[in-house]
Amino acid sequence: MSDTVRVFFISDIVGEPGLALLETIFPSLRDKYDPDFIIANAENSHEGRGLNRHIVKRLYDLEVDAITGGNHSFDKWKIFSYMKTDDHLLRPLNFPKGNAGYGYGIYDIGKTGFKMGVLNLQGRTFMADIDDPFSTSDWALDRIKEETNLIFVDFHAEATAEKMAYAWTVDGEVSAVVGTHTHTPTNDARILPKGTGYITDVGMTGPFDSVIGMDKDTSIRRFTLGTPQRYKIAKNDNRMCGVVVDIDTETGKCTSIEPVIYPEFQNKAD
């Protein structure tokens, strides 16, 4: 059996532009990186807010093994009944008890003989004041560790400090903590001292000719006028943001974490 397993995480898919790009480019990236397990955050995949069963199937057709969510996981009510039946479709565990869906899962990693624990949490700073993600994490990790030490956490949060505080809290307890929600990739991917891979925000998969995936003019009016504006997804400059994490199967510690942005950003003038 392999000494390491490789996880490919796809960040914050935004609407049809993000989905269409993913269906175009991800098969070749999948072949290039040869992941053992694939996770995608899809809470913005249906019209920018929420998701539906058709999108879930499209992601499974791309060989995605688990789907994570965030504050928009419950925006489309038609998905609620399905969320109760599919334990590969996650939403943040620390939403109050009684909400549909699963907050963590333990899955077979292909034919490797190992299992992957995936935990989805949501921060509270500058976001809805839901249940405490830190104590919720303690509860979930106790249960996941009964079956595997390979644990991947999608921490969906606004505040950089909250994501970092969580990662330091679980350093050495989980294999990787990746931040989502801000749609802006950060340049701080690293392995913490006790072996947890970490990045503050992986970014988004969708149109970057935008304000975090939304039409620029609409977003500017929202800020300059201070009033609600129609939610409109942008269309151009589509890119995929992800991260590839290698995990030691014996220790559960991260051995490598590599952000993947395709196409890469241009940082020099022609």
Side-chain angles (χ1 to χ4, degrees), residues 173-244:
E173 299 296 316
V174 306
S175 307
V177 176
V178 301
T180 56
H181 179 66
T182 71
H183 292 197
T184 303
T186 55
N187 191 28
D188 64 339
R190 63 193 189 276
I191 301 175
L192 300 180
K194 296 180 181 179
T196 293
Y198 173 73
I199 183 170
T200 298
D201 205 287
V202 184
M204 73 173 185
T205 298
F208 275 82
D209 182 22
S210 69
V211 176
I212 62 170
M214 298 299 106
D215 173 73
K216 297 195 298 289
D217 292 337
T218 303
S219 295
I220 291 168
R221 287 196 300 272
R222 175 185 169 196
F223 287 105
T224 57
L225 298 178
T227 54
Q229 303 292 319
R230 182 182 178 186
Y231 207 73
K232 184 179 179 182
I233 297 178
K235 298 179 180 179
N236 300 319
D237 193 20
N238 291 301
R239 300 171 191 268
M240 189 216 72
C241 291
V243 66
V244 175

Side-chain angles (χ1 to χ4, degrees), residues 1-2 5 36 107-116 147-148 150 249:
M1 293 187 290
S2 173
V5 294
D36 300 293
Y107 312 106
D108 292 330
I109 307 175
K111 299 179 180 179
T112 65
F114 298 102
K115 293 180 180 292
M116 177 65 63
E147 298 189 46
T148 183
L150 310 180
T249 56

Side-chain angles (χ1 to χ4, degrees), residues 90-106:
L90 304 180
R91 48 76 168 175
L93 180 62
N94 56 313
F95 269 92
K97 184 178 180 180
N99 280 298
Y102 299 83
Y104 75 91
I106 302 169

Side-chain angles (χ1 to χ4, degrees), residues 12 43-44 69-72 92 94 121-130 133 154-166 178-184 186 198-202 211-212 222-223:
D12 285 286
E43 60 127 19
N44 296 120
N71 57 304
H72 292 301
N94 56 313
L121 297 168
Q122 182 172 310
R124 297 188 294 182
T125 305
F126 310 125
M127 300 184 75
D129 189 19
I130 57 177
D154 176 350
F155 196 92
H156 196 81
E158 183 75 30
T160 294
E162 190 174 17
K163 296 177 188 180
M164 287 184 172
Y166 175 78
V178 301
T180 56
H181 179 66
T182 71
H183 292 197
T184 303
T186 55
Y198 173 73
I199 183 170
T200 298
D201 205 287
V202 184
V211 176
I212 62 170
R222 175 185 169 196
F223 287 105

Side-chain angles (χ1 to χ4, degrees), residues 2 13-14 34 46 51 54 70 80 93 95 103 124 137 195 200 202 204 223 226 255 268:
S2 173
I13 303 165
V14 179
D34 193 25
H46 184 213
L51 72 167
H54 176 62
F80 290 4
L93 180 62
F95 269 92
R124 297 188 294 182
S137 172
T200 298
V202 184
M204 73 173 185
F223 287 105
T255 61
K268 292 183 180 180

